[in-house]
Amino acid sequence: SDVIFHPWKKEENGNQTRVILYTITLTNPLAPKTATVTETQTMYKASQESECYVIDAEVLTHDIPYHDYFYTINRYTLTRVARNKSRLRVSTELRYRKQPWGLVKSFIEKNFWSGLEDYFRHLESELTKTESTYLAEVHRQSPKEKVSKQSTVRRRKRAHAHLRVPHLEEVLSPVTTPTDEEVAHRIKHVAGSTQTRHIPEESPSGFHLQSVSKLLLVISFV
């Protein structure tokens, strides 16, 4: 609740950042009922509009025990896989500002993963609702409206710009998963496939082969 979005700001390195402030509800008996959160989001310059977005979110939760010891990094990778379909992949990491002693560290990590599972379970639920609403809306459209909408989409179809691979490699890997290279390759392959899908122009060699085929056909007929 009490969400405040600050506008995106472009940095000198080409990335964009923004700060979001909000309040969350806590269920842990050792913590207060609510806590304020500061989330700093960084959208990398490798992101391509309507194709792929890579955003890191640094989350600081205040007003909880040992809040000055740690913070969270969430990486959201949103990739287009079809005209009306996208893939969202999230990875996360717990980072320490200063090292706590053993018992405190285990307390922090136990509550961190528990809270994180609840948060992303809620996110999954909301995304599922949104998807269901969207599909129901599409099905309610009349055939005439669908044809009109599809023709409009075809007219507005544009040539996609190629992803800048050097920058993409810097940010596509998740912050924790050990199989980063394999996943990054798969994501880049999916993103690339949506950008390079085209009908190749016929080359001169193609015309030559076609002429030879016709000549052989005439000779065979004679």
Side-chain angles (χ1 to χ4, degrees), residues 33-61:
K33 293 183 178 180
T34 60
T36 56
V37 178
T38 302
E39 181 172 323
T40 304
Q41 296 184 345
T42 301
M43 182 166 65
Y44 289 95
K45 61 184 177 182
S47 301
Q48 298 290 319
E49 185 177 358
S50 302
E51 291 297 329
C52 181
Y53 297 91
V54 182
I55 298 176
D56 277 358
E58 180 181 298
V59 183
L60 300 176
T61 306

Side-chain angles (χ1 to χ4, degrees), residues 15-106:
N15 299 335
Q16 296 185 59
T17 60
R18 73 172 177 179
V19 176
I20 305 175
L21 307 174
Y22 51 90
T23 301
I24 59 173
T25 302
L26 303 175
T27 57
N28 193 307
L30 300 178
K33 293 183 178 180
T34 60
T36 56
V37 178
T38 302
E39 181 172 323
T40 304
Q41 296 184 345
T42 301
M43 182 166 65
Y44 289 95
K45 61 184 177 182
S47 301
Q48 298 290 319
E49 185 177 358
S50 302
E51 291 297 329
C52 181
Y53 297 91
V54 182
I55 298 176
D56 277 358
E58 180 181 298
V59 183
L60 300 176
T61 306
H62 312 285
D63 313 318
I64 61 173
Y66 307 103
H67 68 89
D68 55 335
Y69 277 77
F70 68 95
Y71 64 99
T72 306
I73 292 288
N74 298 323
R75 172 162 293 176
Y76 300 86
T77 304
L78 185 63
T79 310
R80 177 188 179 210
V81 295
R83 185 175 63 85
N84 59 349
K85 185 178 180 181
S86 300
R87 176 182 294 120
L88 173 63
R89 183 177 186 275
V90 185
S91 52
T92 188
E93 182 180 352
L94 173 64
R95 293 184 180 177
Y96 289 98
R97 294 186 181 278
K98 49 186 178 180
Q99 283 296 324
W101 55 290
L103 188 61
V104 173
K105 187 174 183 180
S106 61

Side-chain angles (χ1 to χ4, degrees), residues 88-154:
L88 173 63
R89 183 177 186 275
V90 185
S91 52
T92 188
E93 182 180 352
L94 173 64
R95 293 184 180 177
Y96 289 98
R97 294 186 181 278
K98 49 186 178 180
Q99 283 296 324
W101 55 290
L103 188 61
V104 173
K105 187 174 183 180
S106 61
F107 168 79
I108 291 174
E109 292 183 355
K110 178 182 177 182
N111 288 280
F112 166 77
W113 290 113
S114 174
L116 206 66
E117 287 176 1
D118 289 341
Y119 174 78
F120 284 112
R121 193 178 295 116
H122 179 70
L123 176 62
E124 181 183 14
S125 174
E126 292 300 313
L127 286 174
T128 302
K129 290 178 184 177
T130 303
E131 182 184 25
S132 300
T133 304
Y134 168 75
L135 292 176
E137 196 173 306
V138 170
H139 291 154
R140 279 199 303 268
Q141 289 181 343
S142 65
K144 186 176 180 180
E145 289 175 333
K146 289 183 180 179
V147 171
S148 175
K149 188 173 182 180
Q150 288 174 359
S151 63
T152 303
V153 170
R154 281 196 294 269

